[in-house]
Amino acid sequence: MLHIYKTPDEVSHALAEWITTNIETTLQKQDRFTWVVTGGNSPKQLYELLAAAPYRERIDWSKLHIFWGDERAVPFDDSRNNAKMTFEHLLEKVPVLHDQVHIMDTTLSPDNSAKAYEAILHQYFPDEGPSFDLVLNGMGDDGHTLSLFPHTPVIHEQKAWVTSFYLDAQQMYRITLTAPIVNRARKVAFITFGANKANALYEVLKGEPNVDQFPSQIIQPASGQLHWFVDEAAASKVKA
């Protein structure tokens, strides 16, 4: 489903309500909610909204289990670290339980970090069936999501749920969830705004299948829901 709003501010408010409602509804049926959060700049306002009234009070934070979709292999106190950003804008401001927050451990080697993270996921999810209750993704203006960058082999990973690799373009290692485990999620939501995303959004949603060029195309929940929360600038070519 494509949800288009006039401004990034409206996108963030709509997504905050949508996420909160989903958490409330899910926790009426089960005793935990597993949520993959995303890094980057796009979700910062969203996280600030969720950390404040009325959303902060509506969410039962003690039942949330938090994961990350990907991470740069840099220390936690590095400004580029996705977990650091999420803590600063959300997790330090809400009563989430420490042992239910699972960062990708960058004190380990990238390979060992990926293996350790996959081991955590296997404690939560069986080999088949649904995985996360919600995966929140961003999308780059090159069409990447998670650390699935154009023309990288990780796009086509079939077995590992988590992997690491060296991204030449950024001269750093990345750790990332892979398409197989994300596509088992009950719901996936993308947050995307800005005119610089317009071409990629059009290609991902309306273009010919080309996951190597536009990796976000590979995120297609097998039996779950896929939602895009975008602003009018990002949706300009789709609407045209």
Side-chain angles (χ1 to χ4, degrees), residues 218-236:
I218 206 168
I219 303 303
Q220 297 286 339
S223 57
Q225 299 178 15
L226 177 61
H227 296 262
W228 286 82
F229 287 80
V230 308
D231 72 344
E232 289 187 349
S236 59

Side-chain angles (χ1 to χ4, degrees), residues 32-115:
R32 73 181 188 192
F33 187 91
T34 52
W35 178 17
V36 176
V37 295
T38 186
N41 290 315
S42 297
K44 288 181 178 179
Q45 183 185 10
L46 167 67
Y47 293 160
E48 295 281 354
L49 289 169
L50 291 172
Y55 304 111
R56 186 182 189 277
E57 288 70 32
R58 287 172 55 187
I59 293 172
D60 186 347
W61 297 96
S62 69
K63 295 183 179 179
L64 262 60
H65 296 250
I66 305 295
F67 304 85
W68 273 261
D70 72 324
E71 187 57 270
R72 300 171 178 89
V74 296
F76 181 83
D77 60 1
D78 189 303
S79 62
R80 298 169 294 174
N81 186 281
N82 285 336
K84 180 179 189 292
M85 184 280 287
T86 312
F87 270 86
E88 289 177 347
H89 291 272
L90 176 61
L91 299 179
E92 290 176 353
K93 303 177 180 182
V94 296
V96 65
L97 300 182
H98 177 76
D99 61 357
Q100 293 172 189
V101 176
H102 304 290
I103 67 171
M104 292 175 169
D105 187 355
T106 57
T107 66
L108 304 174
S109 71
D111 183 51
N112 286 335
S113 179
K115 290 177 180 176

Side-chain angles (χ1 to χ4, degrees), residues 181-222:
I181 190 64
V182 172
N183 282 337
R184 286 171 49 192
R186 297 181 188 276
K187 293 183 180 178
V188 176
F190 279 82
I191 177 171
T192 304
F193 39 72
N196 59 314
K197 307 287 182 72
N199 183 67
L201 184 65
Y202 174 83
E203 293 294 342
V204 169
L205 296 182
K206 300 292 187 179
E208 293 296 319
N210 186 353
V211 298
D212 285 298
Q213 186 67 47
F214 300 101
S216 291
Q217 287 182 339
I218 206 168
I219 303 303
Q220 297 286 339

